[in-house]
Amino acid sequence: MVKKIEKDLRRFRQIVRGKIKKDLKKYITQGEMLGRKGKNIVSIPVPQINLPRFRFGSNRRSGVGQGEGEVGNPVDTEQGEGTGQAGETPGQHVLEVDVSLEELAEILGEELELPNIQPRGKKQFVSSAGRYTGIRRAGPESLRHFKRTYRQAIKRQIAMGLYDPSNPVVIPIREDKRFRGWTARQLPESNAVIMYMMDVSGSMGREQKEIVRIESFWIDTWLRHQYKNIETIYVVHDAAAKEVNQHTFYHLRESGGTKISSAYELCTRIVEERYPPDQWNIYPFHFSDGDNWSGRDTDRCVEIIKTRLLPAVNQFSYGQVKSAYGSGQFKKDLDQVFSDEEFVVTSEILDRDGILPSIKDFLSKGR
Amino acid sequence: MNLTADLRAIQEEVEGYAREFGLDFFETIFELVDCDELNGIAAYGGFPTRYPHWRFGMEFDSLQKSYAYGLSKIYELVINNDPCYAYLMKSNATMDQKMVMAHVYGHCDFFKNNMCFSKTNRKMMDQMANHGSRIRRYMEQHGVENVERFVDVCLSIDNLIDQHGEFIARSNQSYQPKSDSPSEGVRRLRSKDYMESFINPPEFIEAEKARLTAVAQEERHFPREPYRDVLLFLIEHAPLARWQRDILSMLREEAYYFAPQGQTKIMNEGWASYWHSTIMTKRALRDSEVVDYADHHSGTVHARPGQINPYKVGIELFRDIEDRWNKGKFGREFEDCDDLETKRNWNRDLGLGREKIFEVRRIYNDITFIDEFLTEEFAEQQQLFVFQFNPRTGRHEIADRDWQRVKRELLFGLTNFGQPIISVVDANHANRGELYLRHQWEGIDIQFDWAVETLRNLHQVWTRPVHIETKEEGKGRLLSFDGEKGSIQEITPAD
């Protein structure tokens, strides 16, 4: 039987989920969740889940305490609650709720009506996983099954006439011990790698990078929800490309020209060296403001995508973030060449409000 | 009761000691539960069954989390019922269980004997379960969402009760008009024609007419005097569906059931701590358990600088009273003595302490308890102080150690459970059937954004615009919700 409190807990989670879903767009555009990420959870401020009441406000600033101290000594450990701003603006009653990334991805999927991804056929990788399925009479102490061992011991003692109900002492001997036993199972599993490429040339400002950051957080969340084993690669480029770690990816600011083909070049090399396409689902995402150095380089990019990337990847995605200086030519060029190529998806992100539709552009194909 | 044999023996032993010391309690049933169950029960306010509501789930979630992270752990949970139910955490050590049992008997005695609890339903366990099944039935009939939304509304106003309300004998008799009711007109004295203008002077008649009209106006005013029990007022007068009225009255009943526990927090915990300490140290404690006991007892009653620990203040105050009445440190003679040395060593060997604290536990609540027994010596000895927010440093700082101020501050915090005092003053405001509440402002503002949201909920019950009159830093304010939006106006209060 499900305990009653579990039902209430489920209802509470449902309400929280509903609130998050309702405000998803706001959360996404404000990038609120990024700073609140733990390993597997995000803590989200959910407004107005508390029941409003008539109650005293924050100008109640005195109370009684107990202990040592002179007049003027502080009694709070840190500059906590009550410092100024509290209660000034409406909608202050905020509750922090922990939501797992898994759940967040589901919410995102429901809201954007994203289809589940079909991993590419035949490219599945078989891994073995152990599972505890039975009981054995031999095994390591750490796997001893406490209950079964004692049950066995009590059975034996009763059978031998050694059990005294008024003094129920049960002592297992070696023959009583039972251990958990496992069997290895072959599990099909799909691997995926996400490759983020970003233009860090002078024209990509702070706001543009922030948009890329938010968008890749959500793409990441969704793909992680779809694949168990996922890796991420970060590539930045201006006139030359290099592979960097996550922190650098978002914080680096270079200047200089833009040669997009350098990034595609590097990306192709990484795939060829590390991620054989028959074992990996590969997702390259490229973000730039649409300025390329020259038309010749754009031709070169098209060439790389056509001949080397497309045969290997699930989908090639290009997101163009609007900036004050960018011409936006690159997207036009790609669209022209790949107008009937369904594995190339391009999307334009004008501002923060464009993040959500753009995520939908990229992920709604279910590849 | 599902105690193991050894806990059963301990329970019988502790119960014996409790009776020996004169504690008087309902039969007490202990249940041994694991932490999930305990947190579940705690989320339900101590009851195994309540009506379905997400708020309990939220409470449970936070209890589970803080338990998992080791931030808090519930030791004891006891509910005011006949028989009393108390829960013991399975994973606690035997010494803990013993201490908890002793503590629980203190609470049970308090529930049974303290005046504030005298009107509470002692079969609340069953009643709560009934409420649960009734609300579940309404959910089936009227839809989960509908009923849940209404429960939300009720919970948002369920602090608008009159904590003394249970003691008011409300008359349901029909209203008897006063004799000087205007219908009878101005009474004239009998007089001869020529004496008329002297015996019944026209000015007097006019004045009398005006007075009677005013009385008539007054009588039409509804309610006739400010009504503290806002919930009861709504139950009786708001245009509600039958199921809504039923839910509102169930939740009001629950609010009244829990109210005495808020009124006697310090006394109740103090009394229970006094008894666990007495029973353990005088009788039940074994040599091997002394260190653990000392550790856990001090954990329970430690003083915190930033707030009052009811366990600590309560137990110390009970001990102080016991000591004073043992030594005769009370009454005119003692008060009038101004020699400090004599006062300190005052001892008349009266031995009245025990008797006095039993009396105190019967007829006092937190407010009268603090008001009557918190003395200058006590405040000094317990190092009580008032702290205040200092805007300059942005921190709370010790402001004063003057015992009068400490007492005033403590009493203020306890008045009406530290909640704003609100009554219905007019149910036909502006002659448009609008509900007008008044907050009795005493120096502290209510939080306006919350208040407007609460008015929104109140509007769902009353269905006509609702207002609350209050003050902001001493200046009159009227908060309203008219069905679409809330507003805040400046007003000049009537008084």
Side-chain angles (χ1 to χ4, degrees), chain B residues 157-163 228-231 252 255-256 259 416-417 422:
Chain B
I157 51 176
D158 79 350
N159 58 340
L160 302 182
I161 57 173
D162 181 356
Q163 55 170 307
R228 277 289 305 281
D229 194 338
V230 180
L231 283 193
R252 173 175 173 270
Y256 271 109
N416 202 36
F417 323 116
I422 291 167

Side-chain angles (χ1 to χ4, degrees), chain A residues 39 65 318 348:
Chain A
K39 191 163 170 254
Y318 172 69
E348 184 160 22

Side-chain angles (χ1 to χ4, degrees), chain B residues 372-431:
Chain B
E372 173 113 23
F373 298 109
L374 192 136
T375 59
E376 185 170 5
E377 292 80 15
F378 182 81
E380 193 182 320
Q381 184 198 335
Q382 290 299 317
Q383 302 179 305
L384 297 177
F385 58 78
V386 174
F387 64 80
Q388 236 171 352
F389 181 74
N390 183 343
R392 199 173 46 77
T393 55
R395 305 190 64 168
H396 290 86
E397 291 173 355
I398 298 177
D400 205 342
R401 283 192 179 272
D402 175 52
W403 73 283
Q404 295 278 16
R405 213 177 138 199
V406 165
K407 192 175 198 169
R408 214 165 41 236
E409 195 68 40
L410 260 179
L411 290 176
F412 187 84
L414 292 169
T415 303
N416 202 36
F417 323 116
Q419 309 240 15
I421 298 176
I422 291 167
S423 352
V424 180
V425 291
D426 195 351
N428 187 24
H429 177 60
N431 203 20

Side-chain angles (χ1 to χ4, degrees), chain B residues 349-380:
Chain B
D349 281 323
L350 293 181
L352 292 172
R354 217 17 100 60
E355 194 185 322
K356 181 67 185 176
I357 59 173
F358 270 95
E359 176 195 310
V360 170
R361 79 94 159 77
R362 181 186 293 284
I363 58 174
Y364 284 78
N365 62 28
D366 277 353
I367 293 181
T368 49
F369 184 57
I370 296 285
D371 194 24
E372 173 113 23
F373 298 109
L374 192 136
T375 59
E376 185 170 5
E377 292 80 15
F378 182 81
E380 193 182 320

Side-chain angles (χ1 to χ4, degrees), chain A residues 2-48:
Chain A
V2 187
K3 268 185 280 176
K4 292 190 190 77
I5 193 80
E6 297 286 342
K7 279 191 194 161
D8 292 325
L9 184 60
R10 242 190 347 255
R11 179 80 189 129
F12 168 61
R13 295 245 164 91
Q14 217 176 7
I15 289 173
V16 168
R17 218 179 133 131
K19 295 243 178 217
I20 295 174
K21 214 162 136 180
K22 218 176 85 197
D23 291 340
L24 190 68
K25 198 170 160 197
K26 195 190 83 197
Y27 289 126
I28 288 180
T29 48
Q30 293 177 356
E32 264 195 79
M33 290 179 192
L34 305 179
R36 304 168 174 276
K37 206 178 131 192
K39 191 163 170 254
N40 288 316
I41 55 163
V42 181
S43 81
I44 301 176
V46 178
Q48 294 182 347

